[in-house]
mmCIF file of all heavy atoms in Angstrom:
data_model
loop_
_atom_site.group_PDB
_atom_site.id
_atom_site.type_symbol
_atom_site.label_atom_id
_atom_site.label_comp_id
_atom_site.label_asym_id
_atom_site.label_seq_id
_atom_site.Cartn_x
_atom_site.Cartn_y
_atom_site.Cartn_z
ATOM 1 N N ALA A 99 -3.441 6.181 -3.836
ATOM 2 C CA ALA A 99 -4.110 7.485 -3.701
ATOM 3 C C ALA A 99 -3.054 8.576 -3.654
ATOM 4 O O ALA A 99 -1.878 8.307 -3.413
ATOM 5 C CB ALA A 99 -4.928 7.529 -2.414
ATOM 6 N N ILE A 100 -3.512 9.808 -3.880
ATOM 7 C CA ILE A 100 -2.632 10.964 -3.696
ATOM 8 C C ILE A 100 -3.324 11.975 -2.789
ATOM 9 O O ILE A 100 -4.516 12.261 -2.959
ATOM 10 C CB ILE A 100 -2.226 11.594 -5.049
ATOM 11 C CG1 ILE A 100 -1.410 12.886 -4.822
ATOM 12 C CG2 ILE A 100 -3.420 11.868 -5.960
ATOM 13 C CD1 ILE A 100 -0.696 13.400 -6.064
ATOM 14 N N LEU A 101 -2.580 12.482 -1.814
ATOM 15 C CA LEU A 101 -3.049 13.605 -0.988
ATOM 16 C C LEU A 101 -2.276 14.821 -1.451
ATOM 17 O O LEU A 101 -1.048 14.857 -1.310
ATOM 18 C CB LEU A 101 -2.742 13.367 0.499
ATOM 19 C CG LEU A 101 -3.718 12.529 1.292
ATOM 20 C CD1 LEU A 101 -3.379 11.059 1.122
ATOM 21 C CD2 LEU A 101 -3.636 12.892 2.757
ATOM 22 N N HIS A 102 -2.986 15.793 -1.969
ATOM 23 C CA HIS A 102 -2.318 16.932 -2.614
ATOM 24 C C HIS A 102 -2.374 18.173 -1.716
ATOM 25 O O HIS A 102 -3.417 18.828 -1.613
ATOM 26 C CB HIS A 102 -2.981 17.194 -3.964
ATOM 27 C CG HIS A 102 -2.507 18.430 -4.639
ATOM 28 N ND1 HIS A 102 -1.189 18.860 -4.598
ATOM 29 C CD2 HIS A 102 -3.168 19.359 -5.389
ATOM 30 C CE1 HIS A 102 -1.075 19.995 -5.275
ATOM 31 N NE2 HIS A 102 -2.262 20.321 -5.752
ATOM 32 N N LEU A 103 -1.209 18.467 -1.073
ATOM 33 C CA LEU A 103 -1.130 19.648 -0.199
ATOM 34 C C LEU A 103 -0.193 20.725 -0.718
ATOM 35 O O LEU A 103 -0.227 21.860 -0.227
ATOM 36 C CB LEU A 103 -0.653 19.254 1.211
ATOM 37 C CG LEU A 103 -1.593 18.381 2.025
ATOM 38 C CD1 LEU A 103 -1.138 16.929 1.980
ATOM 39 C CD2 LEU A 103 -1.676 18.849 3.466
ATOM 40 N N ALA A 104 0.676 20.387 -1.663
ATOM 41 C CA ALA A 104 1.672 21.380 -2.107
ATOM 42 C C ALA A 104 0.971 22.616 -2.646
ATOM 43 O O ALA A 104 0.035 22.514 -3.443
ATOM 44 C CB ALA A 104 2.556 20.773 -3.194
ATOM 45 N N ALA A 105 1.426 23.773 -2.195
ATOM 46 C CA ALA A 105 0.820 25.032 -2.653
ATOM 47 C C ALA A 105 1.680 26.190 -2.180
ATOM 48 O O ALA A 105 2.493 26.056 -1.269
ATOM 49 C CB ALA A 105 -0.587 25.188 -2.068
ATOM 50 N N GLU A 106 1.479 27.323 -2.814
ATOM 51 C CA GLU A 106 1.892 28.593 -2.222
ATOM 52 C C GLU A 106 0.760 28.943 -1.273
ATOM 53 O O GLU A 106 -0.404 28.968 -1.684
ATOM 54 C CB GLU A 106 2.065 29.660 -3.298
ATOM 55 C CG GLU A 106 3.268 29.460 -4.191
ATOM 56 C CD GLU A 106 4.597 29.638 -3.454
ATOM 57 O OE1 GLU A 106 4.628 30.325 -2.409
ATOM 58 O OE2 GLU A 106 5.606 29.077 -3.916
ATOM 59 N N SER A 107 1.083 29.247 0.011
ATOM 60 C CA SER A 107 0.012 29.280 1.013
ATOM 61 C C SER A 107 -0.140 30.601 1.766
ATOM 62 O O SER A 107 -1.057 30.720 2.583
ATOM 63 C CB SER A 107 0.247 28.160 2.035
ATOM 64 O OG SER A 107 1.391 28.458 2.826
ATOM 65 N N HIS A 108 0.745 31.580 1.527
ATOM 66 C CA HIS A 108 0.692 32.769 2.384
ATOM 67 C C HIS A 108 0.017 33.956 1.689
ATOM 68 O O HIS A 108 0.519 34.449 0.669
ATOM 69 C CB HIS A 108 2.098 33.137 2.851
ATOM 70 C CG HIS A 108 2.120 34.198 3.906
ATOM 71 N ND1 HIS A 108 1.151 34.304 4.881
ATOM 72 C CD2 HIS A 108 2.981 35.216 4.148
ATOM 73 C CE1 HIS A 108 1.422 35.329 5.667
ATOM 74 N NE2 HIS A 108 2.520 35.902 5.241
ATOM 75 N N VAL A 109 -1.074 34.439 2.287
ATOM 76 C CA VAL A 109 -1.881 35.506 1.689
ATOM 77 C C VAL A 109 -1.048 36.768 1.424
ATOM 78 O O VAL A 109 -1.122 37.364 0.343
ATOM 79 C CB VAL A 109 -3.082 35.837 2.610
ATOM 80 C CG1 VAL A 109 -3.845 37.055 2.098
ATOM 81 C CG2 VAL A 109 -4.004 34.635 2.730
ATOM 82 N N ASP A 110 -0.234 37.188 2.391
ATOM 83 C CA ASP A 110 0.554 38.419 2.195
ATOM 84 C C ASP A 110 1.500 38.285 1.006
ATOM 85 O O ASP A 110 1.669 39.206 0.217
ATOM 86 C CB ASP A 110 1.355 38.762 3.457
ATOM 87 C CG ASP A 110 0.453 39.194 4.607
ATOM 88 O OD1 ASP A 110 -0.456 40.006 4.363
ATOM 89 O OD2 ASP A 110 0.649 38.706 5.734
#
Side-chain angles (χ1 to χ4, degrees):
I100 175 167
L101 276 85
H102 173 37
L103 294 101
E106 289 293 337
S107 69
H108 189 35
V109 173
D110 291 315

